[in-house]
Amino acid sequence: MDILVPAEDVVPMGQVLSTLAAPWHTTMSVRNFWRQLKHDYLHHLVQPWLDQLVWVIQTQVVLNYMAWATFLEDVYHIGHPKKLTPFQTGLKKEWAHLSSLELSGRSYRMDISRWQCSCKALKYNSFHLCKHLIKSIPPPPATLPTPCSSPISRWL
Ligand SMILES: [Zn+2]
């Protein structure tokens, strides 16, 4: 069964592709992926052919991404804590760094429930952290209870 589309709704494929491929429509993650692809896998090629690019993606890029994805699986090293993502590692490192800093003594307007502070550092921090907010809340526990140690999980 054919689906009839009004002529005014038909968009030429070239226009669709140019719209999708326009640099102002690509997201930062796509740009970052393409930059990493060129740097890590295509550094020896100036203008790779399309079939060569597809072959590199199939034989190298996908395999490496699949290998990295196994670290993020829930079944990787069962019984061990899950490996932190790069974002979590960075957040933890930034939290520890800001916790070690001394406060200047100035007073800032803070709202812990909304996680807002009037200092300038908060808006420029990539993790939306500042030392005033971190110092105003109790420190997180050094170790969190594991699911196996809870009495409920023993019954399951
Ligand atoms: Zn602050």
Side-chain angles (χ1 to χ4, degrees):
M1 183 167 111
D2 292 336
I3 299 173
L4 297 176
V5 177
E8 62 269 9
D9 293 342
V10 175
V11 179
M13 189 55 130
Q15 185 179 351
V16 171
L17 290 177
S18 66
T19 303
L20 293 175
W24 52 86
H25 285 280
T26 56
T27 60
M28 289 179 64
S29 61
V30 172
R31 288 185 193 179
N32 187 34
F33 172 75
W34 181 248
R35 190 175 298 129
Q36 288 180 0
L37 179 69
K38 286 197 298 187
H39 182 266
D40 295 341
Y41 301 99
L42 305 173
H43 55 86
H44 59 286
L45 302 171
V46 178
Q47 290 182 338
W49 291 92
L50 181 60
D51 56 348
Q52 191 178 18
L53 175 65
V54 170
W55 182 81
V56 167
I57 290 174
Q58 280 182 337
T59 59
Q60 298 174 17
V61 177
V62 171
L63 293 179
N64 285 341
Y65 272 75
M66 294 302 288
W68 271 105
T70 57
F71 289 115
L72 302 176
E73 293 284 332
D74 287 337
V75 295
Y76 182 76
H77 277 174
I78 294 175
H80 293 269
K82 194 173 176 182
K83 183 177 175 150
L84 297 179
T85 63
F87 176 81
Q88 291 171 324
T89 305
L91 177 68
K92 194 173 178 181
K93 188 176 179 181
E94 184 69 15
W95 188 286
H97 169 69
L98 291 174
S99 299
S100 66
L101 297 178
E102 294 294 324
L103 296 177
S104 63
R106 292 182 183 172
S107 64
Y108 294 99
R109 285 177 287 130
M110 292 187 295
D111 187 359
I112 302 298
S113 63
R114 294 178 161 190
W115 201 253
Q116 292 177 342
C117 181
S118 61
C119 72
K120 293 180 180 177
L122 182 65
K123 66 179 177 182
Y124 294 116
N125 190 296
S126 59
F127 298 104
H128 202 65
L129 298 173
C130 78
K131 60 185 176 184
H132 312 106
L133 289 171
I134 290 175
K135 296 254 182 183
S136 63
I137 61 172
T143 58
L144 294 173
T146 60
C148 297
S149 64
S150 68
I152 296 172
S153 66
R154 292 182 194 145
W155 295 98
L156 299 177

